[in-house]
Amino acid sequence: MRTSVWISSVVAMVWACSGAANAQEARTIYLQGGTGEHNAYAATVGVTLPWAPSWSWGLGSGVVRGQWDAYVSNWSSRPEDAARRNTVWLGVGPSVRWRGDGGKSPWFVEAGTGVSFANRYYRSGTDQFGSRYSFASHIGVGRNFGAQGEHELSLRVQHSSNAGLKEPNPGENFLLLRYAHAF
């Protein structure tokens, strides 16, 4: 599948979904970048789409809310004794976010998972993923800011692998910084 088709699919998902009650629960568009363990870099553009605006779950002094995350990502890696190689991933998955202070805190913690598909087999160092499908799980911490909380910064740790469905399954771990803007 061509990258332009993937990007068009993500954009169409944004317009098909309704808005949320406030900036902390709103749809966002984001840019994300970071580095991986095996001389890899990731650059991502994506959208988050809240689950039903009224869906929430009280947990301790805070509130948990869910969102969908859809993205296109480029992983740049340098296989052993070769030029840098780009692999494009299209992914989607759910994540949950906890905010303290009854859900009003600008700070949050987040965890999620998802599935992605690559335009080619991903190679890094001497290792190659055994399939073009991958599962990505993450944990992160972040904060909203701005007059209406419309800006967001988060730091995330992400692990991607094919969950042992096909060997080899070396996996890749990334440290990622994300900037999101509510719309």
Side-chain angles (χ1 to χ4, degrees):
M1 196 181 284
R2 301 172 74 198
T3 303
S4 61
V5 173
W6 291 1
I7 292 170
S8 298
S9 299
V10 170
V11 170
M13 287 178 65
V14 171
W15 297 117
C17 296
S18 62
N22 64 52
Q24 290 184 351
E25 301 172 48
R27 300 173 294 185
T28 67
I29 186 163
Y30 67 85
L31 297 174
Q32 176 176 279
T35 185
E37 288 182 304
H38 304 106
N39 194 22
Y41 300 98
T44 305
V45 62
V47 296
T48 61
L49 307 167
W51 298 349
S54 61
W55 185 91
S56 65
W57 172 47
L59 181 63
S61 64
V63 174
V64 175
R65 291 189 176 94
Q67 63 188 16
W68 291 104
D69 189 346
Y71 61 88
V72 176
S73 187
N74 181 68
W75 293 6
S76 174
S77 63
R78 184 180 302 273
E80 196 170 89
D81 299 325
R84 190 156 282 283
R85 178 179 163 152
N86 294 304
T87 305
V88 177
W89 296 87
L90 175 66
V92 65
S95 62
V96 291
R97 188 175 275 190
W98 180 87
R99 290 184 189 273
D101 192 21
K104 297 178 207 153
S105 174
W107 290 95
F108 60 86
V109 293
E110 179 178 83
T113 191
V115 63
S116 56
F117 181 75
N119 68 327
R120 65 170 78 187
Y121 287 91
Y122 176 71
R123 274 189 69 203
S124 181
T126 59
D127 298 322
Q128 175 175 298
F129 280 23
S131 71
R132 291 172 50 193
Y133 291 94
S134 182
F135 299 94
S137 299
H138 75 273
I139 57 171
V141 61
R143 186 178 198 289
N144 287 85
F145 58 97
Q148 316 241 311
E150 68 274 16
H151 302 281
E152 179 181 300
L153 277 177
S154 61
L155 187 62
R156 302 155 64 94
V157 175
Q158 176 179 302
H159 173 75
S160 295
S161 72
N162 67 26
L165 296 177
K166 189 167 183 185
E167 295 296 329
N169 183 34
E172 188 74 71
N173 296 313
F174 288 98
L175 179 62
L176 302 163
L177 181 63
R178 176 184 286 194
Y179 168 76
H181 190 275
F183 65 97

